[in-house]
Amino acid sequence: LLVGLGKNPIPLEVARVAGAHCWNKLRSEKVGTALIRTEGLTKKVRNWEAVLEAFLEGVLLSSYKFEKYKGKSADESGMASLQLLASNASEKTKIAKLVEKVLTTVDSVFLYRDWSNEPPNTGTPEFYAKECEALAKKWGLKCKVYDEAECK
């Protein structure tokens, strides 16, 4: 799959949309592993880090599915692996940091999407309070949940 992003400077939204289209094409073709060569991007695009970040956001954000209440799905359309190929060690380090940032962003957006997709009878204030407490515990943070009386 060849993805063209246009001329410099590349608008970030163009890269994000291209990433989304790329994901949709790879999913429709049932591709299990995709390799992205970054060499052309890093050598020719001035703001390559921001462009690659936006492209990866587009790919990953497009992969979201809320299937919590659908049971076991026979549709295994998720990609098993997306790999980035850097041309040198310096580039590899920059890309690794960028990927970590993108994954943090995407995980946060997916959590928000999951919560917003909860039905009203499940997504109660008590539910979200417990979710926040669990997240705080997971990340070693303090979390204080106030009840109605404490808020007055």
Side-chain angles (χ1 to χ4, degrees), residues 110-124:
F110 282 3
L111 176 64
Y112 168 77
R113 288 178 178 178
D114 285 347
W115 285 358
S116 66
N117 281 317
E118 287 292 340
N121 64 327
T122 303
T124 63

Side-chain angles (χ1 to χ4, degrees), residues 121-147:
N121 64 327
T122 303
T124 63
E126 293 81 12
F127 168 81
Y128 294 117
K130 288 179 185 173
E131 290 284 305
C132 289
E133 288 173 331
L135 277 173
K137 184 176 180 181
K138 175 182 175 182
W139 294 105
L141 302 171
K142 292 181 182 179
C143 178
K144 171 73 172 134
V145 177
Y146 294 96
D147 63 20

Side-chain angles (χ1 to χ4, degrees), residues 19 23 55-64 82 102-103 106 110:
W23 165 260
F55 181 83
L56 292 174
E57 284 175 357
V59 169
L60 296 174
L61 290 172
S62 294
S63 71
Y64 177 78
L82 179 65
V102 169
L103 289 174
V106 168
F110 282 3

Side-chain angles (χ1 to χ4, degrees), residues 9-10 13 16 30 48 52 63 76 78 80 90 105 150-151:
I10 298 169
E13 192 57 26
R16 200 169 283 112
K30 298 185 181 349
W48 72 266
L52 182 58
S63 71
E76 294 293 330
S90 170
T105 300
E150 291 174 302
C151 289

